[in-house]
Amino acid sequence: MAAASPVTFDDVRDAAARLKGIAHRTPVLTSRTLDALVGAEVFIKCENFQRIGAFKIRGAYNAAAQLSPEQLAKGIAAYSSGNHAQATALAARELGTSAVILMPEDAPRSKMAATAGYGAEIVTYDRYTQDRTALGEALAEDRGLALIPPYDHPHVIAGQGTAALELLEDTGELDALVVPVGGGGLIAGSATTAKALHPGIRMIGVEPEAGDDTKRSLESGERVTIPVPRTIADGQAISTPGEITFDINRRLVDAVTLVSDEEIVQAMRFAFERLKIVLEPSGATGLAALLSARVDNLPRRIGVIASGGNIDTERFTALISG
């Protein structure tokens, strides 16, 4: 008998109710130009317009809101390269508590500044030589804080699944859903939602070529660890999938495809010039997979989650004009 999933569609629906009035219901964008280039009808869920500029507020708030009053009084902690950091800081502010965030020293300055701007204390580490999970757990324990990890937590995953829930409510049935993959929380929540509503939908993950830990793990049937990736997609610079996310994704994700940094930049440029939206590298990988013909057996109606747009002007300009 198969073990029960740690995250159910009911959990996602409960998260949607909890997030009402907290997370934005982001728009779904279509483009005839994009459809013609891709050869399919494409629906883009614009999480770059979400609070904090990315989907992460969904999971962070859903998890934080379920802490006990005693836990909230002590404060919360998280570790993140940027978007989950901002989301946790904002969730803490919304719930009237404090946050301490562990961030890599080379995290984008704009993401650090935004996290501090929401009132969080920032502690830094070297992502290439130190284990952020161990550091984050030790930090939370030492200070008596409730730790909200960026993806490997049932409440976080359920919250992330609300983006796909909104998309499918707005578009109706889709043949495929293309989702960026970092630690796997967004696609795990999305797959839980999409497969519950439309069992025949194809779930396609997208990773940067340098950070193919989930693709390798799904192919081997067990979690694989790679060196910390060096890619412009900093939100996807993960060395191994989460334990909970991998358990869900190996059951529900149909394929993971890879895109190069150059293909990501081309997608960012297309989004800016033709769609009139700004995407950060990690937020553009799903679009990059479509524009670069990385999806096999292209279906007729495709959803893609543009997961975030947190990038400062200087870096954005340097990337798209390079």
Side-chain angles (χ1 to χ4, degrees), residues 154-288:
H155 296 163
V156 172
I157 295 167
Q160 317 304 33
T162 61
L165 177 61
E166 292 175 6
L167 172 61
L168 291 166
E169 287 174 346
D170 288 348
T171 64
E173 186 169 359
L174 297 174
D175 300 312
L177 182 54
V178 180
V179 182
V181 179
L186 179 59
I187 196 169
S190 298
T192 298
T193 302
K195 295 281 188 177
L197 291 171
H198 307 295
I201 194 171
R202 285 172 58 196
M203 290 301 306
I204 302 167
V206 185
E207 292 183 296
E209 285 179 342
D212 62 345
D213 55 294
T214 292
K215 181 176 174 63
R216 292 192 193 191
S217 298
L218 292 176
E219 289 173 349
S220 68
E222 60 183 12
R223 293 163 70 210
V224 170
T225 300
I226 63 172
V228 175
R230 293 183 182 272
T231 170
I232 62 170
D234 61 278
Q236 295 173 276
I238 307 296
S239 59
T240 189
E243 183 176 351
I244 300 172
T245 57
F246 179 68
D247 177 62
I248 295 170
N249 291 333
R250 67 178 172 181
R251 290 184 286 107
L252 299 181
V253 173
D254 298 287
V256 174
T257 190
L258 306 178
V259 290
S260 68
D261 278 5
E262 178 52 37
E263 287 166 343
I264 295 171
V265 169
Q266 290 172 359
M268 293 170 63
R269 185 180 296 119
F270 178 88
F272 181 70
E273 294 179 347
R274 304 307 296 268
L275 306 180
K276 310 308 177 187
I277 61 174
V278 173
L279 299 179
E280 64 184 289
S282 299
T285 54
L287 180 60

